[in-house]
Amino acid sequence: MRAALLRDFKSPLIIEEVPRPTPGPDELLIEVEACGVCHSDLHIADGDWTQLAGIVKKPLIPGHEIAGRVVERGAAVANLQVGDRVGIPWVHRTCGECEFCRSGNENLCLMQQITGVTVDGGYAEFLKAPASHATPIPPSLSALEAAPLMCAGVTVYRALHQVRLSPGQRLAVFGVGGLGHLAVQIGVALGAEVTAIDLANEKLALAKAFGASKTLDARSPTLIRELRAGGGFHVAIVTSASKTAYDAAFYAARPTGTLLVVGLPAENICFPPILMAAGEIRIRASAVGTRQDVRGVLEMAAAGRLRCQISSRPLHEVNSVLEELRHGRISGRVVLTPQTPST
Ligand code: NAD
Ligand code: ZN
Ligand code: ZN
């Protein structure tokens, strides 16, 4: 099968013919119909997350926003059939036994495997994955629509539910990219008054189209004053991959407000303790989501309350897509279609 391989950090992916994986007894072989290109894939390819470098498989097939069809199943698989449409998320496999698995936080499992990081992912015509962690895709969603929900969607869905964002609260969304444009919609659906902040005018226009009541240009020299003008925000979620967004977002939180850490720049973030204490600012981080969160976000999309802005590209264009993502030139999410022939 054809796959895009990461052989070395900071080098382009290489399209190669590799053997089609053989599913184990509890696994599925899935024909990948769509795989979203998440900014995390770029962080991984660039070796940005030095803390994670040791666990990255080499060579690696990246990609963790996968939607496809079951074409083969292991002898022990009972919950899914050949032909079923399923999604495979970042959380690839969990132990089911550690204290985090048992307390409803399997996304924090101590023994977890990660799709497109510790095991091969979806930048390929096929992948294998445990049937236990494959979620059926509702019939009303296409593979292209469902794929980005496996990471971008589930991540912001969990994050905004974790902080119990409620009707009437003010939400600031920093970064209106793959994650951010979905965060705007989930914020609106939860009844919050949403302000979106980004560097690009077209992204701000997208946020408006998805229900943001206000937008602010991240390049404005008076951004912090503008953010604080309305009394600050109950929740300021950062879905940007840039540290600069955090530098502004901290000042957006009202007293007792929450800075919600989701975007994962390589640099450390740092805030003045006196201002954290003076406002009793809460800082909370959120990591992707559980299978229950995946079902929740798929249901929301199937009910027409969440829509990912997608454009599709063939697998062999993956390096140009990553380059466009690096420069902030992608609106919504690009989804690779590995079954499209490479001419
Ligand atoms: P993206 O590139 O699609 O979107 C990022 C957006 O941030 C872009 O629209 C860009 O214009 C904007 N931006 C850049 N600088 C900004 C600034 N100073 N202020 C405001 N906006 C700014 O990326 P994505 O795929 O949405 O991923 C975003 C981040 O979230 C990445 O760091 C990724 O690794 C991380 N992520 C975290 C989790 C998690 O579980 N915590 C899960 C998935 C992705
Ligand atoms: Zn576990
Ligand atoms: Zn992701």
Side-chain angles (χ1 to χ4, degrees):
M1 66 169 187
R2 269 179 328 127
L5 263 74
L6 174 69
R7 291 199 168 273
D8 296 297
F9 293 132
K10 297 191 198 306
S11 306
L13 304 188
I14 305 165
I15 307 283
E16 284 183 30
E17 271 301 317
V18 298
R20 186 189 284 198
T22 312
D26 67 346
E27 290 181 320
L28 307 167
L29 181 69
I30 296 158
E31 185 181 62
V32 179
E33 293 174 335
C35 184
V37 180
C38 177
H39 208 116
S40 297
D41 298 335
L42 189 57
H43 290 305
I44 292 159
D46 284 351
D48 275 353
W49 299 331
T50 48
Q51 303 83 350
L52 223 75
I55 65 164
V56 176
K57 178 181 177 284
K58 287 277 192 71
L60 172 76
I61 303 174
H64 56 270
E65 286 187 348
I66 301 153
R69 199 173 281 280
V70 178
V71 289
E72 209 182 308
R73 59 175 201 162
V77 175
N79 59 328
L80 290 160
Q81 310 293 330
V82 168
D84 284 352
R85 302 168 66 238
V86 292
I88 301 295
W90 169 274
V91 179
H92 188 82
R93 189 190 279 277
T94 51
C95 76
E97 285 165 15
C98 71
E99 62 177 298
F100 301 102
C101 280
R102 282 190 281 113
S103 63
N105 296 308
E106 65 177 7
N107 56 319
L108 309 179
C109 174
L110 300 172
M111 307 286 286
Q112 70 182 282
Q113 288 178 354
I114 305 172
T115 313
V117 178
T118 65
V119 296
D120 285 333
Y123 288 10
E125 290 175 291
F126 298 88
L127 98 154
K128 64 172 183 175
S132 54
H133 287 65
T135 304
I137 296 173
S140 63
L141 294 178
S142 70
L144 288 169
E145 290 166 324
L149 303 178
M150 293 296 130
C151 175
V154 71
T155 300
V156 292
Y157 177 90
R158 179 180 176 88
L160 294 174
H161 282 87
Q162 292 263 75
V163 296
R164 299 184 201 285
L165 183 70
S166 347
Q169 290 193 328
R170 294 187 295 277
L171 170 70
V173 177
F174 287 80
V176 187
L179 271 67
H181 84 293
L182 298 173
V184 166
Q185 295 176 61
I186 294 173
V188 169
L190 291 172
E193 189 188 299
V194 178
T195 297
I197 302 98
D198 203 293
L199 302 166
N201 293 337
E202 79 187 88
K203 313 244 175 122
L204 296 177
L206 188 67
K208 275 259 163 152
F210 281 126
S213 53
K214 196 170 168 189
T215 57
L216 294 173
D217 187 334
R219 293 159 298 187
S220 163
T222 54
L223 177 63
I224 289 173
R225 195 171 345 131
E226 292 165 53
L227 286 164
R228 294 176 73 88
F233 294 85
H234 297 77
V235 177
I237 183 173
V238 177
T239 67
S240 158
S242 145
K243 177 182 176 290
T244 321
Y246 279 99
D247 295 338
F250 173 76
Y251 294 93
R254 77 201 267 272
T256 73
T258 302
L259 173 69
L260 187 47
V261 175
V262 171
L264 304 170
E267 302 91 343
N268 290 343
I269 50 178
C270 185
F271 310 112
I274 177 65
L275 297 184
M276 291 169 71
E280 293 194 343
I281 302 301
R282 299 161 202 195
I283 298 187
R284 168 122 204 199
S286 195
V288 286
T290 63
R291 280 170 281 182
Q292 197 182 334
D293 297 320
V294 170
R295 287 191 291 272
V297 79
L298 284 170
E299 268 169 33
M300 198 177 165
R305 291 188 294 131
L306 180 66
R307 187 172 64 78
C308 191
Q309 163 109 348
I310 40 174
S311 47
S312 73
R313 304 273 288 271
L315 181 64
H316 67 267
E317 290 185 17
V318 62
N319 287 311
S320 347
V321 174
L322 288 170
E323 220 30 53
E324 289 163 37
L325 196 59
R326 186 191 309 284
H327 297 289
R329 290 203 292 265
I330 288 173
S331 228
R333 195 53 121 206
V334 166
V335 178
L336 300 172
T337 54
Q339 303 301 328
T340 308
S342 56
T343 56

